[in-house]
Amino acid sequence: MDWFSVLDERYDSYKETAIEQRRYLFSDVEKLFDNYNLTKTVIGKSVRGQSLYSLAKGNGDKRILLWSQMHGNEPTATLALLDVFRFLSAKDDSFTELRQTILQNCSLCFFPIVNPDGTDDYTRRNAVDIDLNRDALRKQAPETKALFGLKDTFKPHFAFNLHDQRTFYNIGDTAIPATISFLAPSYEVSRAINAPREQSMKLIASINKKVQQLIPGGVGKYSDEFYPTATGDNFQKEGISTVLIESGPFPNDPERQYVRKLNFLLIIQSLYEIATDTYLSATIEEYKAIPDNGKQFFDVLIKNILIDGYQVDLGINLNEKPTKELGLEYDAKIEDLGDLSYYFGHTVLDCEAQHTPEKPLKVGDSATFTILKDEKAKYKLTNGVLTEL
Ligand SMILES: [Zn+2]
């Protein structure tokens, strides 16, 4: 049975529609937990005293731990986990067999939102500015202690570390944005492959085949350089098969709701493949063949503009900034200037050496300016948003 395709069609029945945007408060998510048929446990407190929760279901031999949002401004997978909770809580639907296969063979433990204070502030770091994904050795932050405590009591065989990635990643050297990226982290500097890491690689190789059906060419993998203080690397070091999934940009999806759906599908598919051991037929070579992430995208690329007689390209990025009203705005700045011919843009304007900005521009300047041709205004960039005049 190709559950992946059927679930793709029926996703809307399981989507948690209470939250459909990137910016929310931890309390918005917390109050939903009691709606699901999972066992909720308080496993610690954040720096500001917010409760940290695990949610568990299933009683099989294969123990799988999944956590999201160690980085507060990376919300996509948390929303996908809410969809997974709704799916696991449902009864008497066309997925009863799939659900039973997962729950009879696996014990699932979720830690949604490792960083609730960072979620409220929409910051990467926690309330005392520690990057929770670089705290795996000292384990100073209470949020890190909760995650590692969960690992020690639950003793997972598999771990899923769920993040969002920035918009500048592309696949290989192509102009395709990295919508999903994977990594089977290394457990030591030589990047050796032991049995647990081999399982991570095979699982990724197997679920990659599924997601490629939906976003052909849109999947990359991260460098497996060993990060001694990173969480995934240290889980892998303890013999836990660890999978990093990063959610990235998809065209016309600023709230990443399509990528949320991809996460949901990938997570259910992973659980099913672990439950049935089907991923074991994939190979390390298939994992290695997934193209590496490039870093060649700007949000806006202005090509061949004339500044003081020099023909240059401008690379502009839109940096997310949380607003007091629980929204997001963008702080658009010129990140690079010069020969950017080996870069791509989510939005591209080629000035063909016939246009000039109304004022001289430098790296770090705000991306708000008018572009002239023959002294007439032709285009306007307003905080990174391009309009033709
Ligand atoms: Zn992250």
Side-chain angles (χ1 to χ4, degrees):
M1 179 78 180
D2 182 9
W3 294 114
F4 190 85
S5 304
V6 188
L7 257 184
D8 177 31
E9 285 163 23
R10 312 249 177 99
Y11 167 71
D12 286 347
S13 327
Y14 302 101
K15 182 175 179 177
E16 175 54 83
T17 54
I19 308 179
E20 295 185 292
Q21 69 291 329
R22 289 173 68 67
R23 187 86 203 282
Y24 48 77
L25 293 176
F26 174 66
S27 57
D28 298 331
V29 173
E30 183 185 25
K31 69 186 177 204
L32 297 171
F33 290 157
D34 290 326
N35 299 348
Y36 312 122
N37 185 18
L38 282 89
T39 306
K40 184 180 87 171
T41 309
V42 175
I43 54 166
K45 299 273 181 196
S46 72
V47 169
R48 291 187 194 141
Q50 304 201 79
S51 294
L52 306 170
Y53 298 97
S54 69
L55 285 91
K57 198 167 178 70
N59 44 25
D61 294 337
K62 295 165 176 168
R63 293 185 297 276
I64 310 172
L65 175 62
L66 306 92
W67 68 87
S68 70
Q69 221 165 342
M70 306 184 81
H71 295 141
N73 58 353
E74 299 181 10
T76 305
T78 297
L79 301 184
L81 288 183
L82 299 181
D83 305 335
V84 170
F85 299 159
R86 284 200 77 220
F87 174 82
L88 292 174
S89 304
K91 286 196 194 80
D92 305 324
D93 60 9
S94 40
F95 297 105
T96 301
E97 186 192 331
L98 168 62
R99 197 175 293 113
Q100 280 179 353
T101 302
I102 292 171
L103 295 175
Q104 286 168 2
N105 290 286
C106 305
S107 294
L108 309 177
C109 183
F110 301 90
F111 182 0
I113 310 193
V114 176
N115 184 0
D117 303 340
T119 297
D120 290 350
D121 297 348
Y122 206 75
T123 54
R124 176 181 175 89
R125 293 163 184 266
N126 80 346
V128 290
D129 252 7
I130 291 176
D131 183 336
L132 300 180
N133 204 19
R134 298 288 182 272
D135 189 32
L137 290 182
R138 289 193 181 170
K139 302 182 189 64
Q140 294 224 80
E143 299 88 354
T144 313
K145 289 189 177 105
L147 178 59
F148 278 79
L150 198 56
K151 169 186 69 62
D152 292 340
T153 49
F154 182 65
K155 298 183 172 55
H157 302 104
F158 285 88
F160 288 78
N161 185 8
L162 306 170
H163 289 254
D164 270 57
Q165 61 190 352
R166 299 278 305 273
T167 53
F168 45 61
Y169 291 108
N170 61 311
I171 303 297
D173 53 6
T174 72
I176 304 175
T179 299
I180 293 285
S181 297
F182 293 117
L183 175 68
S186 293
Y187 60 93
E188 44 100 68
V189 278
S190 79
R191 311 181 192 196
I193 302 171
N194 60 1
R197 185 161 185 237
E198 180 177 340
Q199 291 197 352
S200 311
M201 289 176 164
K202 287 181 169 179
L203 180 60
I204 291 170
S206 194
I207 59 177
N208 173 51
K209 292 178 200 168
K210 294 289 183 187
V211 74
Q212 289 282 355
Q213 296 168 8
L214 300 178
I215 46 165
V219 183
K221 74 175 185 310
Y222 271 91
S223 151
D224 64 353
E225 182 189 345
F226 178 63
Y227 284 92
T229 59
T231 311
D233 305 52
N234 280 281
F235 270 59
Q236 196 81 269
K237 200 158 89 183
E238 293 192 31
I240 301 161
S241 297
T242 304
V243 171
L244 173 79
I245 303 179
E246 297 261 0
S247 299
F250 186 75
N252 305 314
D253 186 27
E255 297 292 341
R256 298 197 177 176
Q257 292 294 293
Y258 180 64
V259 190
R260 164 188 182 168
K261 175 183 172 176
L262 293 178
N263 264 259
F264 167 82
L265 295 171
L266 278 173
I267 291 167
I268 300 290
Q269 183 66 25
S270 300
L271 302 180
Y272 175 70
E273 297 210 11
I274 293 169
T276 55
D277 285 334
T278 39
Y279 71 97
L280 290 170
S281 60
T283 65
I284 294 174
E285 287 66 37
E286 287 173 315
Y287 172 80
K288 289 184 174 170
I290 299 172
D292 292 329
N293 271 359
K295 219 173 173 179
Q296 287 169 279
F297 258 108
F298 288 105
D299 287 316
V300 184
L301 181 60
I302 312 275
K303 297 164 79 168
N304 304 307
I305 192 166
L306 293 171
I307 301 180
D308 290 336
Y310 296 97
Q311 182 179 331
V312 297
D313 310 316
L314 298 176
I316 292 162
N317 279 340
L318 277 57
N319 302 303
E320 284 183 330
K321 230 172 62 179
T323 64
K324 282 202 186 79
E325 298 74 34
L326 211 60
L328 286 173
E329 56 187 25
Y330 295 100
D331 183 18
K333 286 205 157 54
I334 298 172
E335 298 275 340
D336 203 351
L337 180 157
D339 181 355
L340 304 178
S341 42
Y342 285 90
Y343 286 85
F344 310 107
H346 293 290
T347 300
V348 179
L349 172 69
D350 190 343
C351 294
E352 298 171 333
Q354 296 180 23
H355 299 71
T356 172
E358 64 184 321
K359 58 184 179 192
L361 296 171
K362 286 210 153 60
V363 171
D365 283 356
S366 152
T368 297
F369 53 87
T370 302
I371 299 172
L372 315 169
K373 184 185 179 188
D374 304 330
E375 294 175 11
K376 286 198 187 110
K378 292 290 284 183
Y379 298 96
K380 185 160 178 57
L381 216 68
T382 309
N383 201 24
V385 178
L386 181 71
T387 43
E388 194 169 351
L389 299 171

